[in-house]
Amino acid sequence: MTEILTDAGTPQRAGSTTETARALRSRLRFRPHPADVAAVAFFVCLAVFVLVRQWKHLGTGYLIRSGQDQTMWEWFFAVAARSVVRLENPLSSDLQNYPLGVNLMGNTAMFGISIPLAPVTLLFGPGVTFTLALTLGLSGTAIAWYWVFSRHVVASRFAAAVGGVVCGFAPALISHSNGHPNFVALFLLPFIALGVIRLGSGARPVRDGIVLGLLIAYQILLGEEPLLIYALAFVVFGLAFAATRPRAAAVSVRKSVKGFAIAGGVALSLAALPLWWQFFGPDSYRALEHGPVGNDTEAFTGFPTSSLAGAPGSAEFSMNATEENAYFGWPLLILLTLSGLWLWRMPLARAATVTVAAMGVLSLGSSLTVGGTDTGIPLPWKFVSHLPLLESVLESRFAMGCLPAAALLLALGTDRALASARAGERTTTLLWIGWLAVALIPLAPTPLAVVQRDTAPDFFAEGTWKQYVTDGSVVTVPLPSPENARMLRWQTEQDLAFPIAGGYFVGPAGSEAKGKYGPDDRPTALLLKSVQNSGEVPDIDEQTRNQALADLRFWNADVLVLPHTRNDRVLRETVRLLIGEPATPVDGVWVWDVRALTPESG
């Protein structure tokens, strides 16, 4: 007699139509576990709490520690929404760095977020999209890891929630929430890892391969660098786990070949065009060199800025406020060490321990630095940093590869500690929970700092620019740059109605087309930047004037605009000498109408 196993695990006769229908209705009915609801609600509330000041001041608030990154990302979201409405190619834009343009695929413009949220951008503005992307990124990443841990790793949902909160709200993700949504929206990564593991069973290679390929392709449109970092961490984890069971690992590898081939084919077929555009398309670049930016060892023992135990300046060894990639704090490091020893006999815990150690060492860079002092001791990164793809990665970010493994250790430890309580060994449970609190509470995130953003000059805010722009570009003095990208915000507020020279992006520079933040500067752009820094009017000869005219024609400039800025009087006199005409004050800025000098723009 054929039997169907119901959710309760009791056998049932197939001939009983009524009971079969009841079983199907029971399976289709959505009945979330109260613990799941509590975990999801907690993660969402915590994400909103982290960004509460930004939510309170939508449209006017600016994450002060983002530098110019929030402006850049809002510009990305606005351009993506514009491309959807106009049915334009979203992979490229000439609205900044005019006329050369920007390769947006090479700038991690997060099409996986910017395109689906285009209606939000169009209705409420890119500032809302930026804040929503960060909120969904934090909470979604925590929820995703909680789901995988609770369904596939541990029995206790509380233990799974501990793992979720570490993956979704670790210091690195809170730090990147200031301005890097691509390093916050990591919610696909746990499912990619799960998909790789499922391929090892060989049970459903076609279905599992297609699903994994779709996930990888979508993650490429969310962020390639996090995918690379977490993939490397998973390789380390897989090798460490396979070392405990080499025969079983070899069998799994053989079974997964077909599924991996399908996954690779699906991912490449969907992402081939964006990837080609990124690496070989217009305005593509070879590699982005950052110089040595490995973690100091004290970056692991210290506390992050936006945490209960942190304060401004506490993360002194970070590259900047958005790159606090380690900062686990010494209590958590001790707990992870003890957890690795306590759970060493468990293959999962052993692999996780090895992964935390390996990715941590890799994040230290080419040589060991302790307390700001380079010891000169070579480290593994020195020997792999030149490899393709890796050469563009900030090595300090490899510390983020520690997070899933650290979360796994804490989830396994919490699960065992709670099991000990059920077995009557309450001392172990109390010790674990107590030290877990000591390790995690100091790292609890605090709301990110927000300031009021500057308003645009009336020249832009009131639309006066329309009287000076025909089909050419707006050139600000000095040109927009990674140090001052406010012009991108003013342009966005005017619905991207005109292009600008210069900007904040990554693009090719020099004959070798190596990556550079900002444009490949023209001589006049460099001159204006130098004048602002020096505060002195330089000697302007005929050759310099001719070069300025050539640059204005290259930019197809309609108007030069000097907003209020540092050393603006000196800049105004310098431009007067360059083009032979004084500036006109118009609605809060100084203006030079140069359409007569650049007839090509008319």
Side-chain angles (χ1 to χ4, degrees):
M1 183 72 67
T2 304
E3 294 182 341
I4 298 176
L5 195 63
T6 65
D7 290 339
T10 56
Q12 172 184 354
R13 293 183 180 275
S16 177
T17 306
T18 303
E19 292 182 6
T20 301
R22 288 176 181 171
L24 290 174
R25 285 197 299 270
S26 176
R27 291 182 180 185
L28 293 173
R29 190 180 299 124
F30 179 66
R31 294 181 296 179
H33 193 283
D36 294 340
V37 175
V40 171
F42 173 74
F43 294 142
V44 172
C45 289
L46 186 55
V48 172
F49 172 74
V50 170
L51 292 155
V52 64
R53 294 169 180 166
Q54 186 70 6
W55 279 112
K56 284 183 177 180
H57 302 285
L58 284 175
T60 60
Y62 194 88
L63 293 167
I64 185 62
R65 297 192 182 103
S66 73
Q68 302 298 308
D69 289 342
Q70 180 174 343
T71 296
M72 178 187 69
W73 278 101
E74 289 180 1
W75 189 89
F76 287 159
F77 291 143
V79 170
R82 184 179 190 266
S83 70
V84 170
V85 171
R86 300 194 175 196
L87 300 180
E88 296 174 343
N89 176 15
L91 304 179
S92 184
S93 175
D94 64 357
L95 287 169
Q96 62 169 310
N97 194 36
Y98 189 82
L100 298 177
V102 178
N103 186 322
L104 293 175
M105 189 62 197
N107 277 266
T108 60
M110 280 189 85
F111 299 112
I113 289 286
S114 61
I115 299 297
L117 292 184
V120 175
T121 305
L122 295 169
L123 289 172
F124 305 107
V128 175
T129 304
F130 175 77
T131 308
L132 182 60
L134 292 173
T135 305
L136 294 177
L138 288 173
S139 57
T141 301
I143 291 169
W145 280 105
Y146 165 79
W147 184 269
V148 170
F149 285 145
S150 63
R151 268 60 181 178
H152 301 282
V153 180
V154 295
S156 165
R157 281 179 165 82
F158 176 76
V162 170
V165 79
V166 170
C167 287
F169 296 91
L173 275 81
I174 301 301
S175 171
H176 283 289
S177 293
N178 282 292
H180 299 159
N182 57 319
F183 272 95
V184 176
L186 309 179
F187 43 78
L188 290 185
L189 296 176
F191 297 110
I192 291 174
L194 185 61
V196 172
I197 294 171
R198 281 178 171 166
L199 287 182
S201 69
R204 298 176 178 177
V206 176
R207 188 201 69 172
D208 292 342
I210 291 174
V211 171
L212 180 59
L214 292 173
L215 290 172
I216 292 174
Y218 195 76
Q219 179 59 46
I220 288 173
L221 298 179
L222 286 176
E224 297 164 76
E225 193 172 346
L227 177 61
L228 176 62
I229 292 170
Y230 278 66
L232 184 59
F234 192 76
V235 168
V236 174
F237 180 89
L239 292 174
F241 187 82
T244 64
R245 300 177 179 180
R247 292 185 179 179
V251 172
S252 295
V253 170
R254 287 196 297 271
K255 289 182 177 180
S256 67
V257 171
K258 181 178 179 180
F260 272 118
I262 294 172
V266 170
L268 284 176
S269 64
L270 294 175
L273 176 59
L275 289 176
W276 178 88
W277 195 278
Q278 175 180 349
F279 293 105
F280 305 104
D283 307 305
S284 57
Y285 55 91
R286 285 184 48 228
L288 182 61
E289 297 180 358
H290 299 91
V293 286
N295 282 318
D296 192 294
T297 55
E298 293 191 16
F300 282 90
T301 59
F303 294 99
T305 301
S306 297
S307 67
L308 289 181
S314 62
E316 61 177 310
F317 295 108
S318 62
M319 179 180 176
N320 54 53
T322 61
E323 295 291 345
E324 297 175 11
N325 295 307
Y327 294 95
F328 288 12
W330 60 265
L332 180 55
L333 288 182
I334 292 175
L335 180 59
L336 290 174
T337 302
L338 295 177
S339 300
L341 295 174
W342 184 37
L343 305 172
W344 186 255
R345 292 187 178 183
M346 298 175 62
L348 281 178
R350 203 179 312 162
T353 303
V354 172
T355 304
V356 171
M359 297 304 293
V361 169
L362 197 61
S363 78
L364 295 176
S366 299
S367 61
L368 183 66
T369 302
V370 180
T373 301
D374 188 347
T375 65
I377 300 174
L379 294 174
W381 177 249
K382 179 178 182 179
F383 307 102
V384 299
S385 60
H386 63 283
L387 296 177
L389 299 182
L390 292 180
E391 61 186 349
S392 297
V393 177
L394 291 173
E395 56 264 38
S396 68
R397 291 176 176 173
F398 284 113
M400 296 184 71
C402 300
L403 297 179
L408 177 58
L409 275 175
L410 296 184
L412 291 172
T414 303
D415 198 47
R416 173 175 281 192
L418 295 177
S420 298
R422 292 191 293 269
E425 300 177 9
R426 298 185 181 277
T427 302
T428 300
T429 306
L430 291 175
L431 287 174
W432 175 267
I433 297 299
W435 195 259
L436 185 67
V438 170
L440 296 185
I441 290 177
L443 297 175
T446 55
L448 299 180
V450 171
V451 296
Q452 287 289 109
R453 67 175 74 197
D454 296 334
T455 58
D458 288 343
F459 180 81
F460 293 107
E462 302 299 327
T464 310
W465 61 268
K466 296 176 184 177
Q467 303 172 22
Y468 295 86
V469 178
T470 51
D471 60 352
S473 70
V474 174
V475 179
T476 57
V477 180
L479 275 70
S481 67
E483 295 76 30
N484 186 352
R486 59 182 178 170
M487 186 59 212
L488 273 69
R489 185 168 70 247
W490 302 343
Q491 178 198 35
T492 300
E493 291 171 355
Q494 292 297 303
D495 296 325
L496 303 167
F498 54 85
I500 60 175
Y504 181 18
F505 60 95
V506 180
S511 58
E512 297 183 359
K514 289 187 177 180
K516 172 184 179 293
Y517 288 103
D520 194 1
D521 293 307
R522 306 279 300 181
T524 304
L526 293 173
L527 173 66
L528 295 175
K529 185 184 297 185
S530 173
V531 169
Q532 184 180 46
N533 291 333
S534 68
E536 297 179 358
V537 178
D539 293 331
I540 304 296
D541 55 20
E542 193 64 25
Q543 181 178 356
T544 306
R545 292 190 189 94
N546 290 337
Q547 181 63 60
L549 181 60
D551 289 340
L552 289 175
R553 288 175 175 169
F554 174 82
W555 292 319
N556 197 21
D558 278 348
V559 62
L560 285 170
V561 180
L562 173 60
H564 176 67
T565 187
R566 179 169 54 92
N567 290 328
D568 48 11
R569 291 184 180 180
V570 176
L571 285 166
R572 190 172 71 210
E573 177 61 17
T574 301
V575 175
R576 186 191 69 80
L577 293 174
L578 285 173
I579 67 174
E581 295 180 7
T584 303
V586 181
D587 288 348
V589 300
W590 294 92
V591 171
W592 293 266
D593 188 337
V594 295
R595 283 174 288 189
L597 300 177
T598 56
E600 292 86 348
S601 65

